[in-house]
Every structure is written in structure tokens, then in C-alpha cells.
Amino acid sequence: MMIDKIQILDNNIIELAKTFHTEQNTKIAKFLTEFGGKKGVIAFTIITMIIIMIYYMKKSKEKKLHKEEDVSMFKARITGYAVALSVPITLGIAVVTKTVIKMLVNRPRPNAFPEIMVETGKSFPSGHSTGVAAMMTILIYFVIISDMNRVLKYILVTLLVLFSIVIASTRLYMGVHYLSDVIAGLTLGYIIGTLCMFGVEKAKKIIDEKY
């Protein structure tokens, strides 16, 4: 059966991860994995929302300096609020979705290396992978809509994707997730992030049309 083959591959990857265990690698993995955890997600949400609000507040002030209509300033601020709110909404949807899937699938965690880390809760999909993928999708969206040149955009998007893979890989290294958990988590995070960013674009168009 396909499920049996996936489980065999998952077990083999866990064994492979063990070959990379060193004291230094473990310290690095424990540090990096926090980017996809609760503290990492909360910090990302707060920082990103602040940066977005500063950007759009600055944009509205520029319109005032250029003596444009007050409605343009108002539109810039409303757009800023909408974009900023999309961050917690996106990550909230990601958390709820992965939690529901975990309950439905009910897959036990491997906790293969208790000397490194032991996690509670269910295994499929990886919550850290889902969270970091959703976060990177948000950043990728801002890179794409920015005024950067195309080459720089490609470089940054590639680095953001690689970063999400690295963070997800720490879950394999520490034996708290299987490969299939991580792949599912990344896929789920990127899908949710992408759909929510499409929602942001739709909201921006509605604001443009209304004001």
C-alpha cells in the first residue's frame, strides 16, 4: 500500500537525520526551529504589521505633501489596515486548519530522539512547517509587489523558500516529525498564504473602486 511505502520512507529519513547529529548542529537546529514556533509566529506578526502600518502611514503623508485629495490619504490608510490585518488572519487560518487536520489524521509523533527534543500533540501535518511557509508566503507577496528589480526579486523569493525548507528540516533533524508531515505542512502553509494574498489583492481592488 502507498501508506506503507510512505511510512518506510519516513522511517528511513529519520535514520538519515541521525547521521547529521552533532552538538553544534543540534544547537543550530534548536535555534532555527523557534522561527516556526509560537514565539516566532507572534513576533513575525507584530513586526510585520508595524512595518506595514509605517509604510502606509508614510504613503498617506506623502499624498498630503503632494496636496492630493484627502480621499487619497484615507484610501492609503484603509489599504494599510487591510494589508496589516491580513497577516494575523493568514496565520490564524493556518493554525486552525493544521489543528483540525491533526485531529482528523491523529498520527502519533515519532519523537525519535528524546535526548534532543520531545513534543506532545499529533504529528501530521507539521505545525512549524505550516507556520513558516505561511509567513514566507506573506513576505514573498511583498517582494513581488515591490519596486525591486526582477533579478533581486528572484533572489529574495528563492532565499525565502529555502529558509522555509531549512526551518522545516529542523523538525526532521530533531525527530519530532516525519518527512511526510513536513512536506504536508509546507504545502498547506504555502496554499493558505497564497489564497490569503489573493484575498489581499481583491480587498485592495475593492478599496480602489470604492474610494
Side-chain angles (χ1 to χ4, degrees), residues 55-137:
Y55 170 77
Y56 279 99
M57 289 296 288
K58 183 179 178 182
K59 196 172 181 179
S60 68
K61 288 180 180 179
E62 287 174 353
K63 291 182 180 296
K64 184 176 181 180
L65 289 173
H66 295 157
K67 297 182 179 180
E68 296 182 16
E69 296 180 6
D70 289 341
V71 68
S72 296
M73 292 173 53
F74 178 72
K75 184 167 69 174
R77 292 186 180 183
I78 289 296
T79 302
Y81 296 145
V83 175
L85 283 174
S86 72
V87 179
I89 289 173
T90 300
L91 296 175
I93 292 173
V95 169
V96 171
T97 305
K98 66 92 176 176
T99 301
V100 171
I101 295 175
K102 279 178 179 286
M103 292 172 61
L104 293 174
V105 177
N106 199 31
R107 187 184 198 185
R109 284 183 182 270
N111 281 326
F113 314 120
E115 69 278 9
I116 294 179
M117 182 174 284
V118 174
E119 292 276 22
T120 57
K122 301 305 177 181
S123 191
F124 185 95
S126 165
H128 280 65
S129 301
T130 303
V132 75
M135 288 189 287
M136 293 308 104
T137 305

Side-chain angles (χ1 to χ4, degrees), residues 32 37 53 74 105 123 127 139 146 154 163 165 170 173 181 197 209:
L32 290 175
M53 290 308 303
F74 178 72
V105 177
S123 191
L139 294 182
S146 72
Y154 283 139
F163 181 75
I165 294 173
T170 63
Y173 177 90
D181 301 335
M197 292 308 102
E209 291 171 0

Side-chain angles (χ1 to χ4, degrees), residues 7 21 24 27 36 42 44 81 103 110 118 132 147 152 163 174 183 203:
Q7 187 61 59
H21 285 185
Q24 187 62 33
K27 288 181 180 178
I42 292 172
F44 173 87
Y81 296 145
M103 292 172 61
V118 174
V132 75
D147 297 325
L152 184 55
F163 181 75
M174 294 185 290
I183 293 175

